[in-house]
Amino acid sequence: MKEIDFKDISRTKNWRVALYGKPGVGKTTAIKYLKGKTLHLVFDDSGKVLGGLGLDGKSLIMDQEHPSDEISKMLVRAQKEVKNYDNLVLDNISAFEKNWFIEEGRKSKNGISNEIQNYNTWTNYFIRMINAFYGLDYNILITAWEAQTPITTDSGQTFEQYGPQIRDSVRNTFMGLTDVVGRMVIKPNNGERGVILEGNDGIFAKNRLDARQGCKIEDLFKWGDTDVQTPRLSNEASESSKTKAK
């Protein structure tokens, strides 16, 4: 058991942030706004967009045919490198989940289909994995694709809510463990890239590191900076993406 005085608690030390959005909105490129040296764990082919940006760090690219073995090796590497890097990026957990189920399907009787036990195994496997990474002494950024999931409000209305594309069995636990969950969007009128940090029935978002409801992507990691202006991105994007109650 660890004991710490309230006065010694730092809200922004070792933050955990998840960014989700459509492919191509700039989730991986957001890495260029991190301060310090970054260890980038790449679960798909998105890492190439960082070429030529002059970043300080290294990318470890997963062999997508063997995600289980590869993620174990990446965890060990991250544990060994913890004193050499400031930031750890897991890019992209939606792709990792997809490849994990493909790998398990190859082990089935027909070599393709997943079996019932795979879905139960994934729940425990993913939560143990994310807890292992979250226990490391890094600032951690995780990216994911976006998906719409049906939710029912207290009043009985049903909405399609945007959130990270990951199975229902682990989504709530993952988002609960994460300090900030933001939906990354591009404003259609000017192409500005920003992050929604306050959610509603149509969008899942949360921010327990400061009071911002939304921000430009270049300002995302400036926690508690009073000079950062909060645009109207959150309200505009929320209204345009929120679906009607069924």
Side-chain angles (χ1 to χ4, degrees):
M1 176 170 41
K2 183 179 180 180
E3 181 176 321
I4 186 170
D5 289 336
F6 290 145
K7 62 181 177 60
D8 296 327
I9 295 175
S10 172
R11 180 178 295 186
T12 57
K13 176 178 170 55
N14 290 348
W15 46 256
R16 279 80 179 93
V17 172
L19 272 182
Y20 71 91
K22 296 177 182 179
V25 297
K27 299 182 297 296
T28 298
T29 312
I31 292 172
K32 69 182 181 180
Y33 300 115
L34 294 170
K35 298 177 181 178
K37 193 173 182 180
T38 299
L39 182 61
H40 179 213
L41 310 184
V42 191
F43 302 156
D44 58 12
D45 298 321
S46 61
K48 63 183 68 176
V49 301
L50 300 179
L53 297 182
L55 304 182
D56 186 10
K58 186 173 294 186
S59 289
L60 305 181
I61 303 171
M62 173 175 283
D63 177 354
Q64 298 178 49
E65 294 289 317
H66 307 285
S68 295
D69 288 341
E70 290 282 280
I71 198 68
S72 296
K73 293 176 183 177
M74 286 178 163
L75 176 59
V76 171
R77 180 68 176 273
Q79 290 169 334
K80 291 181 178 179
E81 297 278 13
V82 70
K83 294 188 181 299
N84 299 323
Y85 292 87
D86 304 289
N87 312 300
L88 181 67
V89 178
L90 280 59
D91 185 24
N92 136 12
I93 59 165
S94 304
F96 173 75
E97 179 185 72
K98 174 180 66 69
N99 290 325
W100 187 90
F101 276 99
I102 291 173
E103 180 184 39
E104 293 302 306
R106 292 194 191 100
K107 303 174 186 176
S108 66
K109 294 178 181 179
N110 64 11
I112 298 175
S113 303
N114 288 112
E115 299 176 350
I116 293 176
Q117 61 265 30
N118 295 150
Y119 300 97
N120 294 329
T121 299
W122 170 250
T123 301
N124 291 329
Y125 178 90
F126 178 83
I127 293 173
R128 290 176 63 180
M129 179 197 76
I130 206 67
N131 275 326
F133 279 111
Y134 275 14
L136 301 179
D137 188 19
Y138 290 94
N139 295 317
I140 297 180
L141 171 64
I142 296 184
T143 70
W145 294 319
E146 73 175 23
Q148 287 182 288
T149 304
I151 65 160
T152 302
T153 66
D154 293 338
S155 63
Q157 292 179 305
T158 301
F159 292 89
E160 292 287 321
Q161 185 184 69
Y162 285 104
Q165 182 179 306
I166 192 165
R167 292 192 66 81
D168 293 345
S169 61
V170 299
R171 184 185 294 110
N172 286 342
T173 300
F174 166 62
M175 295 190 301
L177 293 170
T178 305
D179 298 314
V180 174
V181 180
R183 184 187 183 211
M184 191 168 176
V185 295
I186 300 176
K187 294 182 71 173
N189 59 329
N190 61 10
E192 180 181 280
R193 299 173 191 267
V195 185
I196 300 170
L197 298 174
E198 182 176 84
N200 56 30
D201 290 334
I203 295 174
F204 186 94
K206 59 180 278 193
N207 177 11
R208 63 187 183 202
L209 296 185
D210 58 29
R212 289 177 295 168
Q213 299 176 355
C215 68
K216 296 178 181 180
I217 185 58
E218 56 264 37
D219 293 330
L220 176 61
F221 306 111
K222 299 176 182 179
W223 312 116
D225 188 340
T226 57
D227 292 330
V228 174
Q229 299 298 312
T230 301
R232 292 181 54 82
L233 175 69
S234 179
N235 292 334
E236 293 172 3
S238 296
E239 291 302 320
S240 65
S241 61
K242 185 176 177 181
T243 58
K244 295 183 178 179
K246 296 181 179 178

